[in-house]
Amino acid sequence: MNIHLTPFSGRNFEYYSEDGFLSGRFGAATVHGTRSKGVITFVKHFALNDQETMRTTVATLSNEQAIREVYLAAFEPSVAGGDEGTLGIMLSMNRVGLVWSGDHRGLVTNVVRGEWGFGGVVITDQASHPQAFPLLAIRAGLGAGTDLWLNSGTDNWQIDGYASNPTVMCQLREASRHILYAVSRSLAMNGISSTTEVVPAMATWQ
């Protein structure tokens, strides 16, 4: 869903257009068609992914008007599409201003979930490993609303004392809820056997 901002971007062959409105319409139609087959789509790279070279360190600078009218306009129709909208969003690797996209609460929570009503899962891109981003990014990412870290093993992400930290536990439960929401609205549910009992998450919370 990113924009053809420069001919030197290494992903232009994946992007729809240099216009936010057209990209939004193309993307929404693609998501609708895919979701009709029960697939979880992940629209990417959210947001302001302008280049491939050194994209784990680049800081994309813009003002709010341009971000909303150009960059986010390409994503909104796919994300805010209700029952036909995407169930997943993949983040970008760059920083928006000085904040990495996965730690950017303004984008991940305020815009996507607050303004657009998104209830699905937000995942990082594959650069979310310790060499690219330190452990601090996990803690800040949970607080920002990021749910999953791509290409990360359980041995890479250890948050000391998480089980006794009510803030972290609440954020982990919220991330789990987003993941289960997406899966429950896909054809992945067809694989549950007739003897499986699905218990609402709230029933187990104390």
Side-chain angles (χ1 to χ4, degrees):
M1 305 297 180
N2 295 114
I3 300 299
H4 291 189
L5 185 67
T6 168
F8 299 108
S9 175
R11 290 290 184 94
N12 278 352
F13 69 95
E14 292 183 351
Y15 303 159
Y16 291 110
S17 171
E18 59 186 19
D19 178 85
F21 176 80
L22 290 178
S23 294
R25 301 320 303 165
F26 286 135
T30 303
V31 167
H32 171 61
T34 309
R35 274 212 63 186
S36 70
K37 303 300 181 182
V39 177
I40 298 176
T41 57
F42 282 85
V43 297
K44 63 177 187 177
H45 299 85
F46 192 78
L48 286 76
N49 185 71
D50 287 342
Q51 68 184 56
E52 293 298 294
T53 305
M54 300 178 66
R55 62 182 177 149
T56 61
T57 57
V58 67
T60 309
L61 304 176
S62 182
N63 59 49
E64 184 174 356
Q65 181 176 355
I67 290 173
R68 288 185 177 274
E69 292 182 356
V70 179
Y71 295 97
L72 298 188
F75 284 88
E76 185 174 2
S78 297
V79 177
D83 292 337
E84 297 181 354
T86 187
L87 291 171
I89 295 174
M90 177 180 280
L91 298 168
S92 55
M93 296 191 202
N94 59 286
R95 289 164 172 78
V96 179
L98 299 179
V99 182
W100 171 54
S101 66
D103 293 347
H104 206 299
R105 185 173 179 82
L107 285 174
V108 179
T109 294
N110 295 356
V111 172
V112 170
R113 300 199 188 280
E115 295 182 20
W116 296 350
F118 180 67
V121 58
V122 176
I123 190 171
T124 68
D125 203 343
Q126 70 174 27
S128 56
H129 51 71
Q131 290 73 30
F133 295 104
L135 187 60
L136 179 62
I138 295 295
R139 183 67 182 83
L142 281 173
T146 300
D147 304 310
L148 285 173
W149 276 256
L150 188 62
N151 281 7
S152 61
T154 55
D155 57 330
N156 293 335
W157 309 118
Q158 298 297 328
I159 302 176
D160 292 338
Y162 75 92
S164 60
N165 187 320
T167 300
V168 174
M169 290 303 298
C170 182
Q171 291 166 349
L172 289 172
R173 287 176 177 149
E174 188 70 5
S176 299
R177 184 174 70 86
H178 295 150
I179 296 166
L180 293 173
Y181 174 89
V183 173
S184 70
R185 283 153 179 78
S186 74
L187 289 186
M189 294 301 290
N190 290 358
I192 294 181
S193 68
S194 59
T195 59
T196 300
E197 180 182 4
V198 179
V199 180
M202 289 298 293
T204 63
W205 290 7
Q206 301 298 327

